[in-house]
Amino acid sequence: MSENLSIIIWSKEGCSYCDDVKKYLVEKELAYKTVDVTNNDHLRDILDVKYGVRHVPVVEIGQGNVYRGVTEVGIEHLQEVLDEVLVLD
């Protein structure tokens, strides 16, 4: 799909919601990178500063230097942002 689209998933081991997000992106053929917060509380601190949350998954979707964070749990929230971003592409 979009060559300049960057997707980052903040996740942890054993998180079924995180696995659902990864599976969804694979099905949509969208490449992503993962930031594993398992046993890394300092990474959760970053999420807290950036988005006011410490939970995962958090999905960051970026184009160029502009990123949007999806902090709500549920594929429908991710799909909504992806639909907006991919239409603009």
Side-chain angles (χ1 to χ4, degrees):
M1 289 207 157
S2 177
E3 294 166 8
N4 62 354
L5 186 67
S6 174
I7 301 174
I8 302 168
I9 304 171
W10 296 69
S11 65
K12 70 176 185 173
E13 294 174 13
C15 170
S16 63
Y17 296 116
C18 302
D19 292 340
D20 290 345
V21 168
K22 293 173 186 176
K23 180 180 174 186
Y24 175 80
L25 292 173
V26 167
E27 289 172 358
K28 295 293 183 184
E29 299 181 355
L30 294 170
Y32 63 87
K33 295 180 182 178
T34 303
V35 176
D36 187 353
V37 303
T38 307
N39 301 318
N40 293 300
D41 283 342
H42 69 282
L43 294 175
R44 288 183 186 266
D45 293 341
I46 293 170
L47 287 177
D48 194 14
V49 169
K50 289 176 90 169
Y51 302 111
V53 300
R54 294 183 65 80
H55 66 78
V56 290
V58 169
V59 181
E60 292 180 313
I61 301 170
Q63 287 184 301
N65 293 326
V66 179
Y67 277 80
R68 290 182 63 180
V70 181
T71 59
E72 298 90 352
V73 175
I75 295 297
E76 65 274 10
H77 303 290
L78 174 58
Q79 180 63 53
E80 183 179 322
V81 173
L82 282 173
D83 286 347
E84 292 174 20
V85 170
L86 294 174
V87 166
L88 297 174
D89 193 22

